[in-house]
Structures are given as structure tokens and as C-alpha cells.
Amino acid sequence: MGKAVLEVIEKETFIHTMGKSYLVSSSLDYFEKKLPQTLFMRVSRSTIVQIKAIKEVVLWFGNRYKIILLNGHEALCSRERSKSLKSILKL
């Protein structure tokens, strides 16, 4: 899976890669358990990002981070997971 983000939009799970988006039947919980934690991180209830797909991280309101990915997608990291993201990326 190259440069990917997984997200839930209106109760449907999508995998977004550099050029395409795929609707999948599995939940984010399923992918979170299956994907290697050294390569992927759940940044909110509705989003998992591939760590090497992160282009930029911007400090956001309420001690959160806005993540900008190489494929153009953006994701807000939850307040609880922002601490882990900061540690992983050494921000």
C-alpha cells in the first residue's frame, strides 16, 4: 500500500492512495489491528495515516495537529493522539 490514508466518511471506509480511492468493507478497527504500527498511525476516530505519506504537520487549535499528506489529503489529529504523533515525528 503506497502512500495511503484510510478514513471513514459517512460510515463508509475508504483507502486513498496517490492516484485513487477505494471503498472497502472492513472497518478502521480491522485495519488498525492488521497494519504495522511502525508504518501506520491512527490519528483520530475516523483516520489512519501512513507515516511516510506525511508531507507536513501544522500546529492547530486546541493543541492538535493538522496533517497534510503527499496525496493532498488533510487530516486533523485528535488531541489525545497528537502527543503520540509529536513523539513519533519528533516535533
Side-chain angles (χ1 to χ4, degrees), residues 2-52:
K3 309 285 189 288
V5 60
L6 296 88
E7 69 178 337
V8 174
I9 302 171
E10 296 181 15
K11 299 183 182 180
E12 295 187 311
T13 304
F14 291 88
I15 298 174
H16 304 289
T17 63
M18 289 298 283
K20 296 186 178 184
S21 292
Y22 304 92
L23 175 62
V24 294
S25 59
S26 299
S27 69
L28 280 189
D29 289 335
Y30 169 82
F31 284 109
E32 184 177 24
K33 291 174 187 166
K34 295 293 183 182
L35 293 169
Q37 291 181 353
T38 56
L39 302 176
F40 291 86
M41 180 184 178
R42 189 158 190 172
V43 297
S44 68
R45 264 190 312 154
S46 62
T47 309
I48 296 174
V49 299
Q50 185 176 11
I51 295 168
K52 70 179 184 179

